[in-house]
């Protein structure tokens, strides 16, 4: 903490250390300091980030001394006392002009608004109270007005209401203190109102045209009056002003502003006395007050005041000057309003001291603290004792002055009575003419009554400098304010008894680490824990006292001793925590390294074994390849030798036949034409052969087995070779026309042939049927849209199958869906999923050799899907279903290939029992085909018609 947060604990106590502590905290933006439960507020003249919603939650429902000093702590204490203890609360904010009283009231109201109940009515009242500030802010920087704000809250019905008392200082309209300007509303009206509004009110934007407006640049520059005027108008609507009432208020403000431009001239009367007259009576017409009948009464009211005032002033001259001569030393050249304000401040100071003493005494009595009798004998410089003898004079002064001095904006009684008859409702209400003295006496009486009947809370506002600038602290000015606010006396009152007191629970919680018996947890009552703590620290008995609920410490040095011990202990604890943390961190790091080393070693060993295995495997493959190569080459040599022998026989035979043919032809041709004729004949025969072969060439279909007959026997070898070459070329041309889908179809057909050809009697009937895959149009049929959305992968096959019931052998229709990862059985009517089995859980498929469509999907033992048993199904498209299942298993690298068991007798697991399914050939009954019948609990017999 910067400095000392509670002035009661400052050591040593003097005016210099008091001011130095305030200055030290102010320089570090710590603007709040306590004197016990009193809050000292230094005006920083700048915005500080200490009023956020997070700060509100930080101070909400917290002990007053638990956190650093803040105005929210006092507001929360008052609010909780009102809510929990049903005690009426009064927050008294005092200080001179520019000390920040208005801002302090804003922060208190904003805190109460943030923490109180919710609801439409409550929020409305809270918003009205918060928005009343722009309406009530009178001057440019300071506020010397008394505006008591009363909040009424009901915590049973969660309703809130509020009302504001009347303003007191109104003389500022005609005369402003040095360095300040008139009320904001005059400047805001001229700067922010529209041209039409100003024209209607007969006003001009030039400030210099109005006598009531101060043009001091130090108070005018830097204020956005135009924007402020819009804020004020909006605030008036939120507070509850109707539009016509707002207009009436603006007309009244304009009339007061123009009233200051009325000028007077002296005029002699026949009796020798001088009287005043208005120079230009047209000035009365531009007042523009609706409903005011002429200007005669207004003129008479304005002019008659001075005559009446001089008469009464002379008549009561003794009482006036007698009273002022006694009190003038305190007020210097202040006005009457400031005089009575100062008197009210002194009354507040007196009641503040009285309530402070009473609060101290009541707390000692409540806590049963036996204390010395000279507690009340405290030397306090109290200015109110001076005023005590002057109060009678002052009461008489008010009675006499109330008949002649009226400060209502600042019209006198007769002027108010005149304007009182205006037709404007606002003017009618505002201009009701009570006297200033009567109003002050009633306000002070009400204020004192409220303070004495309510629980007081104090905020003492101090301005650090007269320049209203940030970061400037004038010691003499702050010292002067501290003196007349009696802050040192307040500290002495608190220190005259026990300087510090705190409930046992937070005291034990804060200092329990100073004693081994109380650290880290004390299981007994908090008071006993504090007693053990102080006894262990060997604190003298005269330095403290035990109350009912609090520990009282007489000397601040004792508290500083405890704080110093706590600081040292916290350092030791911090060192211990750091040591333990570093040890934990190092152990954690070591264990992580060890774990990482084990993982790395395991991965390395795995990598080394894999490399070793790969080397052995590659070596084995090389050896195997060499062996296979040697065997292949050996076989090739043998085959080549055998082929060469066959070819040699063929060649020899061909040559021999050729020789015989040529010999026969030579004989023939020798007999006819000789050798030339022979060669020409051979050429013609070959040409005729090829031309004939071209004309009789078979179709391009690979299944076409026709081939032209050879014309001559000696062309037989060449004729067969040409037939084989043509067939190969024809097949290649045919395959080049296939699409990928058609290739897949033929591959499935080829796989079906490998699986079921000559093994399953149903296979031949499936050869001519194309494999479509989707037979229920699951992607188009709206009945199965929900079922299709539940399947994550692409559906490879969708068909209606029959699920065989073990009890009676009858089948129930089901939708069978097959994907790359699973198969699904769903209800045909509703589409509801009955079973979904991953293909990883499928071990094998069993079918018979007959022409039936029965097949059993057998699940792996111990898998999650095997709990309900295997599936016995029947489908006319058995060949396609099992072929696709087999191909999915063959194409997947993460699962074993699904075994296909073809037998007329196999076992099926139904939950806990195994049932034998046996296929026999029989005669169909009643025209039916395949029939399934239960023979006993362990046998299902399937009768298949004979082919």
């Amino acid at each position: 903490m910067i400095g000392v947060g509670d002035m009661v604990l400052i050591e040593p106590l003097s005016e210099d250390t008091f001011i130095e502590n305030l200055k030290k905290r102010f320089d570090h933006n710590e603007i709040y300091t306590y004197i016990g439960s009193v809050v000292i507020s230094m005006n920083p003249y700048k915005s500080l980030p200490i009023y956020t919603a997070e700060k509100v939650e930080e101070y909400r429902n917290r002990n007053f001394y638990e956190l650093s000093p803040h105005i929210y702590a006092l507001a929360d204490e008052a609010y909780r006392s009102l809510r929990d203890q049903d005690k009426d609360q009064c927050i008294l904010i005092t200080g001179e002009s520019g000390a920040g009283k208005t801002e302090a009231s804003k922060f208190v109201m904003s805190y109460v608004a943030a923490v109180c109940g919710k609801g439409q009515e409550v929020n409305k009242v809270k918003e009205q109270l918060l928005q009343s500030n722009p309406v009530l802010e009178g001057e440019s920087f300071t506020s010397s007005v008394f505006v008591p704000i009363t909040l009424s809250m009901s915590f049973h019905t969660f309703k809130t209401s509020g009302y504001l008392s009347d303003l007191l200082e109104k003389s500022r309209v005609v005369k402003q203190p040095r360095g300040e300007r008139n009320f904001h509303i005059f400047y805001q009206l001229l700067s922010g109102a529209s041209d039409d509004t100003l024209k209607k009110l007969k006003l001009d934007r030039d400030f210099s045209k109005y006598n009531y407006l101060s043009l001091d640049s130090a108070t005018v520059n830097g204020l956005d009056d135009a924007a402020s005027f819009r804020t004020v108008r909006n605030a008036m609507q939120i507070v509850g002003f109707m539009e016509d009432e707002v207009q009436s208020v603006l007309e009244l403000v304009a009339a007061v502003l123009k009233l200051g431009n009325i000028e007077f001239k002296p005029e002699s009367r026949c009796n020798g006395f001088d009287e005043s007259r208005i120079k230009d009576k047209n000035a009365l017409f531009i007042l523009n007050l609706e409903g005011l009948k002429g200007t005669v009464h207004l003129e008479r009211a304005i002019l008659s005041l001075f005559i009446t005032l001089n008469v009464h002033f002379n008549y009561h001259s003794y009482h006036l000057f007698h009273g002022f001569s006694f009190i003038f030393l305190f007020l210097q050249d202040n006005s009457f309003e400031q005089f009575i304000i100062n008197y009210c401040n002194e009354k507040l100071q007196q009641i503040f001291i009285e309530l402070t003493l009473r609060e101290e005494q009541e707390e000692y009595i409540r806590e049963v603290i036996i204390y010395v009798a000279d507690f009340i004998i405290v030397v306090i410089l109290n200015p109110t004792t001076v005023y005590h003898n002057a109060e009678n004079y002052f009461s008489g002064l008010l009675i006499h002055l109330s008949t002649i001095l009226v400060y209502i904006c600042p019209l006198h009684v007769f002027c108010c009575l005149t304007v009182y008859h205006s037709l404007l409702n606002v003017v009618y209400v505002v201009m009701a003419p009570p006297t200033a003295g009567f109003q002050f006496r009633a306000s002070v009486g009400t204020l004192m009554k409220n303070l004495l009947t309510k629980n007081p809370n104090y905020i003492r506002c101090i301005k650090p400098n007269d320049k209203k600038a940030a970061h400037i602290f004038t010691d003499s000015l702050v010292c002067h304010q501290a003196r007349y606010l009696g802050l040192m006396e307040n500290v002495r009152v608190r220190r005259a008894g026990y300087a510090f007191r705190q409930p046992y629970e937070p005291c034990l919680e804060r200092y329990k680490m100073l004693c081994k018996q109380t650290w880290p947890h004390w299981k007994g009552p908090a008071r006993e824990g504090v007693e053990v703590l102080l006894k262990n620290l060997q604190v003298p008995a005269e330095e403290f006292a035990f109350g009912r609920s609090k520990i009282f410490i007489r000397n601040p040095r004792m508290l500083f001793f405890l704080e110093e011990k706590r600081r040292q202990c916290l350092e030791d604890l911090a060192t211990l925590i750091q040591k333990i943390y570093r040890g934990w961190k190092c152990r954690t790091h070591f264990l992580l390294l060890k774990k990482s080393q084990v993982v790395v070693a395991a991965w390395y060993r795995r990598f080394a074994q894999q490399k070793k295995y790969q080397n052995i495997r590659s070596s084995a493959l090389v050896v195997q390849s060499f062996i296979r190569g040697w065997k292949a080459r050996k076989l090739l040599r043998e085959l080549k030798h055998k082929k060469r022998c066959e070819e040699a026989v063929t060649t020899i035979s061909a040559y021999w036949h050729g020789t015989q043919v040529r010999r026969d032809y030579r004989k023939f041709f020798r007999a006819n034409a000789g050798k030339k004729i022979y060669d020409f004949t051979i050429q013609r025969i070959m040409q005729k052969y090829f031309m004939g072969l071209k004309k009789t060439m078979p179709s391009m279909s690979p299944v076409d087995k026709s081939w032209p007959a050879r014309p001559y026997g000696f062309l037989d070898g060449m004729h067969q070779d040409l037939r084989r070459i043509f067939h190969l070329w024809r097949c290649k041309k045919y395959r080049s026309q296939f699409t990928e889908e058609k290739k897949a179809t033929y591959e499935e057909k080829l796989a079906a042939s490998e699986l079921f050809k000559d093994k399953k009697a149903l296979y031949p009937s499936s050869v001519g049927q194309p494999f479509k895959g989707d037979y229920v149009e699951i992607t188009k049929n709206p009945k199965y849209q929900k079922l299709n959305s539940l399947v994550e992968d692409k559906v490879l096959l969708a068909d209606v199958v029959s699920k065989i019931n073990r009890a009676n052998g009858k089948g129930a229709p089901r939708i069978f869906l097959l994907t790359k990862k699973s198969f699904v059985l769903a209800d045909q009517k509703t589409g509801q999923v009955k079973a979904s089995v991953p293909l990883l859980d499928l071990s094998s498929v069993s079918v018979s050799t007959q022409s039936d469509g029965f097949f059993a999907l057998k699940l792996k033992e111990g898998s999650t899907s095997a709990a309900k048993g295997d599936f016995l199904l029947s489908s006319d498209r058995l060949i396609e279903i099992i072929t696709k299942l087999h191909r999915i298993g063959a194409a997947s690298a993460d699962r074993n290939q699904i075994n296909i068991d073809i037998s007329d007798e196999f076992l099926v697991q139904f939950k806990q029992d195994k049932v034998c399914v046996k296929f026999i050939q029989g005669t169909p009954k009643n025209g039916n085909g395949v029939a399934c019948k239960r023979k006993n609990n362990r046998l299902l017999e399937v009768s298949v018609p004979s082919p």
Side-chain angles (χ1 to χ4, degrees):
M1 180 176 292
I2 305 299
V4 180
D6 192 340
M7 288 295 188
V8 176
L9 303 177
I10 195 169
E11 189 71 24
L13 176 62
S14 65
E15 192 173 79
D16 293 338
T17 57
F18 187 93
I19 301 301
E20 180 62 27
N21 188 57
L22 286 179
K23 184 176 186 302
K24 185 176 181 181
R25 292 178 61 79
F26 177 79
D27 292 340
H28 290 82
N29 291 327
E30 295 288 344
I31 64 173
Y32 295 113
T33 309
Y34 291 155
I35 301 179
S37 60
V38 178
V39 177
I40 302 176
S41 174
M42 301 287 293
N43 193 342
Y45 294 116
K46 65 177 181 179
S47 298
L48 295 177
I50 59 175
Y51 307 104
T52 60
E54 291 77 11
K55 279 289 182 182
V56 172
E57 290 300 321
E58 182 180 350
Y59 281 84
R60 187 173 184 177
N61 295 327
R62 302 294 287 270
N63 185 275
F64 185 79
Y65 300 100
E66 186 174 351
L67 302 174
S68 58
H70 201 288
I71 195 172
Y72 284 170
L74 182 137
D76 184 73
E77 186 76 13
Y79 176 75
R80 287 191 290 113
S81 297
L82 175 66
R83 181 192 64 189
D84 301 336
Q85 304 177 15
D86 201 20
K87 292 182 180 179
D88 291 344
Q89 301 294 314
C90 176
I91 299 179
L92 186 62
I93 306 175
T94 60
E96 65 179 60
S97 298
K101 299 184 295 300
T102 303
E103 290 299 316
S105 65
K106 288 183 185 178
F107 295 141
V108 171
M109 286 194 294
S110 64
Y111 182 86
V112 174
V115 301
C116 70
K118 306 297 181 182
Q120 183 176 2
E121 190 67 25
V122 176
N123 292 336
K124 179 181 178 182
V125 175
K126 290 194 298 186
E127 185 66 18
Q128 289 178 340
L129 289 173
L130 293 176
Q131 291 296 333
S132 65
N133 284 300
V135 182
L136 298 176
E137 288 178 346
E139 309 86 87
S140 67
F141 296 108
T142 66
S143 176
S144 299
V145 297
F146 285 102
V147 189
I149 302 175
T150 304
L151 300 177
S152 299
M153 299 183 180
S154 173
F155 294 99
H156 301 289
T157 59
F158 298 99
K159 291 185 178 179
T160 304
S161 63
Y163 66 89
L164 310 175
S165 301
D166 296 333
L167 293 170
L168 184 60
E169 184 186 25
K170 306 180 183 69
S171 60
R172 184 181 290 268
V173 175
V174 297
K175 182 182 179 181
Q176 298 84 41
R178 183 176 59 186
E180 298 181 7
R181 67 175 187 173
N182 211 325
F183 286 98
H184 284 315
I185 188 60
F186 297 124
Y187 303 91
Q188 294 169 351
L189 177 61
L190 298 181
S191 300
S194 63
D195 295 336
D196 294 339
T197 302
L198 292 180
K199 183 177 180 181
K200 184 177 180 181
L201 298 176
K202 299 180 180 179
L203 294 176
D204 193 278
R205 295 192 189 275
D206 189 359
F207 294 167
S208 62
K209 292 184 179 181
Y210 302 98
N211 297 331
Y212 282 169
L213 300 185
S214 170
L215 298 179
D216 188 351
S217 60
T219 60
V220 175
N221 294 340
L223 296 177
D224 191 354
D225 291 320
S228 299
F229 178 74
R230 293 190 292 270
T231 303
V232 169
R233 292 210 59 169
N234 181 59
M236 292 176 72
Q237 293 178 354
I238 294 176
V239 169
F241 283 82
M242 304 300 292
E243 186 62 33
D244 56 338
E245 293 175 340
V246 175
Q247 187 64 28
S248 299
V249 170
L250 296 181
E251 291 180 8
L252 180 59
V253 172
V256 173
L257 185 61
K258 291 181 286 188
L259 190 62
N261 289 348
I262 297 178
E263 297 181 355
F264 301 91
K265 64 181 179 178
E267 186 174 297
S268 300
R269 301 181 62 181
C270 58
N271 58 6
F273 291 96
D274 290 338
E275 64 178 1
S276 297
R277 292 293 179 186
I278 297 176
K279 281 185 178 182
D280 186 6
K281 294 185 178 181
N282 290 329
L284 298 178
F285 289 97
I286 66 174
L287 292 181
N288 197 33
L289 279 177
E290 181 184 351
L292 192 62
K293 299 179 180 178
T295 60
V296 177
H297 298 289
L298 183 60
E299 181 181 5
R300 185 183 305 163
I302 294 174
L303 296 177
S304 63
L305 167 66
F306 297 94
I307 300 173
T308 306
L309 178 62
N310 291 333
V311 170
H312 283 279
F313 190 85
N314 293 330
Y315 181 78
H316 296 288
S317 60
Y318 173 78
H319 295 284
L320 281 171
F321 286 101
H322 183 78
F324 269 104
S325 64
F326 191 80
I327 309 176
F328 189 73
L329 293 175
F330 297 95
L331 303 175
Q332 297 180 0
D333 59 347
N334 288 341
S335 65
F336 172 72
E337 279 188 345
Q338 291 166 330
F339 168 72
I340 59 180
I341 289 172
N342 289 340
Y343 175 77
C344 184
N345 280 329
E346 293 305 323
K347 293 290 289 183
L348 293 175
Q349 178 68 9
Q350 180 184 14
I351 198 171
F352 166 67
I353 296 298
E354 291 178 359
L355 292 176
T356 301
L357 290 171
R358 184 198 304 172
E359 181 183 358
E360 286 290 297
Q361 291 174 328
E362 289 178 351
E363 183 167 18
Y364 288 135
I365 295 172
R366 183 171 58 251
E367 294 291 331
V368 195
I369 297 296
I370 302 175
Y371 189 51
V372 293
D374 62 350
F375 166 68
I376 305 177
I377 305 174
V378 182
V379 180
I380 299 176
L381 179 59
N382 191 351
T384 58
T385 58
V386 181
Y387 283 109
H388 180 70
N389 296 326
E391 190 168 2
N392 294 331
Y393 294 100
F394 187 75
S395 299
L397 176 67
L398 291 180
I399 295 173
H400 295 302
L401 289 181
S402 63
T403 61
I404 59 175
L405 299 178
V406 178
Y407 290 83
I408 305 295
C409 297
L411 305 180
H412 58 84
V413 174
F414 303 104
C415 186
C416 288
L417 288 172
T418 303
V419 183
Y420 179 72
H421 294 289
S422 171
L423 296 182
L424 288 175
N425 292 334
V426 175
V427 176
Y428 181 86
V429 174
V430 172
M431 293 302 178
T435 64
F438 177 81
Q439 184 183 15
F440 169 71
R441 183 173 61 185
S443 298
V444 173
T446 303
L447 182 60
M448 297 303 142
K449 182 180 179 181
N450 285 335
L451 291 177
L452 291 173
T453 58
K454 292 176 174 57
N455 186 43
N457 303 272
Y458 302 99
I459 301 175
R460 309 299 240 172
C461 298
I462 296 177
K463 66 178 182 180
N465 59 78
D466 281 326
K467 298 180 181 180
K468 301 177 178 66
H471 309 295
I472 298 177
F473 188 94
T474 306
D475 294 19
S476 58
L477 179 62
V478 175
C479 182
H480 171 70
Q481 296 174 79
R483 287 173 180 172
Y484 75 70
L485 288 174
L487 299 183
M488 289 292 294
E489 287 71 26
N490 191 10
V491 176
R492 291 190 181 101
V493 169
R494 294 299 299 264
R495 288 171 63 103
Y498 291 93
F500 177 78
R501 70 288 314 267
Q502 190 176 26
Y504 292 118
E505 288 78 7
C507 179
L508 180 63
E509 183 66 26
R510 184 169 182 83
Y511 300 112
K512 64 181 180 180
M513 72 282 297
L514 303 182
C515 177
K516 293 182 178 179
Q517 289 88 336
T518 58
W519 176 260
H521 300 292
W522 174 257
K523 298 182 180 180
R527 173 170 176 168
E528 295 180 4
V530 174
E531 291 177 356
V532 172
L533 175 65
L534 296 178
K535 183 178 179 180
N536 182 268
L537 294 175
Q538 299 180 354
V539 179
E542 62 272 10
E543 291 293 332
F544 62 88
F546 293 105
R548 289 182 181 272
S549 61
K550 297 181 180 178
I551 176 70
F552 290 79
I553 297 177
R554 184 185 300 277
N555 199 311
R557 287 191 297 271
M558 187 65 241
L559 185 64
F560 296 149
F561 166 74
L562 294 176
E563 286 294 324
E564 179 62 21
K565 294 283 289 183
R566 181 177 182 271
R567 184 188 64 80
Q568 295 175 0
C569 188
L570 287 178
E571 291 180 356
D572 296 339
L573 289 175
T575 303
L576 178 62
I577 292 172
Q578 289 176 353
K579 181 181 71 174
I580 295 174
Y581 170 74
R582 292 192 186 101
W584 171 83
K585 187 176 181 180
C586 290
R587 284 193 300 273
T588 304
H589 183 64
F590 168 74
L591 293 176
L592 181 61
L593 290 177
K594 183 178 179 182
K595 183 179 179 181
S596 302
Q597 187 270 337
V598 171
V599 173
V600 171
W603 278 93
Y604 174 76
R605 287 193 294 270
R606 176 186 176 186
F607 171 77
Q609 292 298 325
Q610 286 179 342
K611 291 291 292 184
K612 183 178 179 180
Y613 166 75
Q614 290 175 357
N615 292 333
I616 295 174
R617 183 173 181 271
S618 61
S619 301
L621 291 176
V622 170
V623 173
Q624 289 176 356
S625 63
F626 273 104
I627 293 174
R628 292 192 191 99
W630 174 76
K631 288 184 177 180
R633 287 191 295 274
K634 181 179 178 182
L635 178 62
L636 178 62
R637 286 195 296 270
E638 293 176 354
L639 292 176
K640 284 184 177 180
H641 177 72
K642 183 178 179 180
K643 184 177 181 181
R644 281 197 296 270
C645 293
E646 293 176 351
E647 290 178 350
V649 173
T650 305
T651 303
I652 293 172
S653 176
Y655 273 101
W656 185 81
H657 287 294
T659 301
Q660 293 296 324
V661 171
R662 284 193 297 275
R663 188 185 62 182
D664 295 338
Y665 274 106
R666 279 197 296 270
K667 289 180 180 180
F668 173 78
F669 283 112
R670 283 194 194 103
N672 294 285
K675 186 176 183 302
K676 289 184 179 180
I677 297 175
Y678 167 79
D679 295 335
F680 177 76
T681 302
I682 294 298
Q683 183 179 1
R684 293 288 295 174
I685 290 172
M686 295 301 296
Q687 183 178 9
K688 183 178 179 181
Y689 168 72
F690 284 114
M691 292 299 294
L693 189 62
K694 179 180 179 182
K695 293 179 181 179
T696 59
M697 188 71 67
S699 66
M700 296 294 292
S701 176
V703 297
D704 187 359
K705 297 183 180 180
S706 61
W707 184 250
R710 57 178 174 79
Y712 305 102
F714 71 94
L715 297 177
D716 183 61
M718 183 179 65
H719 190 69
Q720 295 298 327
D721 290 338
L722 287 176
R723 179 179 182 180
R724 181 177 59 83
I725 293 172
F726 175 76
H727 179 71
L728 294 175
W729 173 79
R730 181 171 58 181
C731 291
K732 181 180 180 181
K733 294 291 287 184
Y734 183 79
R735 288 195 304 270
S736 64
Q737 299 175 1
F738 285 179
T739 61
E740 293 298 327
E741 182 178 358
K742 199 169 184 180
K743 286 182 180 180
T745 302
Y746 278 104
E747 289 175 356
E748 288 183 346
K749 286 290 186 179
L750 181 60
S753 175
E754 293 175 353
L755 291 173
F756 298 107
K757 186 177 180 181
D758 299 330
K759 300 176 183 178
K760 177 72 174 173
L762 185 65
Y763 170 73
S765 62
S766 68
V767 173
Q769 299 175 358
F771 289 171
K772 292 173 56 177
D774 186 2
Y775 295 94
V776 296
E777 296 183 343
I778 190 170
T779 57
K780 299 179 181 179
N781 194 336
K783 181 178 178 180
Y784 303 123
Q785 285 184 355
K786 183 177 180 181
L787 176 61
N788 187 38
S789 63
L790 295 177
V791 180
E792 296 180 357
D793 299 325
K794 180 182 177 182
V795 176
L796 302 179
L797 186 142
D799 193 12
V800 178
V801 301
S802 294
K803 183 177 181 296
I804 305 303
N805 190 345
R806 168 194 176 183
N808 50 23
K810 294 183 179 180
R814 293 285 187 267
I815 299 296
F816 181 85
L817 302 180
L818 178 63
T819 67
K820 289 184 178 181
K821 295 182 179 180
S822 63
F823 69 86
V824 178
L825 289 175
D827 189 88
Q828 184 183 12
K829 295 181 179 179
T830 63
Q832 182 180 1
V833 175
K834 296 296 185 179
S836 179
V837 180
L839 294 184
L840 290 175
D841 293 347
L842 184 63
S843 63
S844 63
V845 180
S846 295
V847 297
S848 70
T849 61
Q850 308 296 326
S851 60
D852 61 281
F854 281 71
F855 63 99
L857 301 178
K858 297 184 179 181
L859 305 181
K860 295 179 181 178
E861 293 184 2
S863 63
T864 56
S865 303
K868 295 183 179 181
D870 301 334
F871 295 91
L872 182 59
L873 308 175
S874 175
S875 173
D876 295 338
R877 300 180 179 88
L878 175 145
I879 302 299
E880 182 178 358
I881 293 175
I882 298 179
T883 300
K884 288 184 181 293
L885 274 173
H886 184 268
R887 282 176 55 81
I888 292 173
S892 178
D894 59 348
R895 66 173 67 96
N896 296 327
Q897 187 171 339
I898 299 173
N899 296 325
I900 308 299
D901 181 21
I902 303 177
S903 174
D904 286 341
E905 187 174 335
F906 51 80
L907 295 177
V908 178
Q909 183 77 32
F910 285 103
K911 291 187 179 180
Q912 303 299 328
D913 300 328
K914 288 188 177 182
V915 177
C916 177
V917 180
K918 186 176 182 180
F919 295 84
I920 61 173
Q921 291 186 357
T923 304
K925 297 180 180 180
N926 300 325
N928 295 327
V930 179
C932 182
K933 185 177 180 181
R934 176 187 175 187
K935 289 295 184 179
N936 51 53
N937 289 337
R938 302 291 183 179
L939 179 62
L940 280 178
E941 190 175 84
V942 180
S943 178
V944 184
S946 300

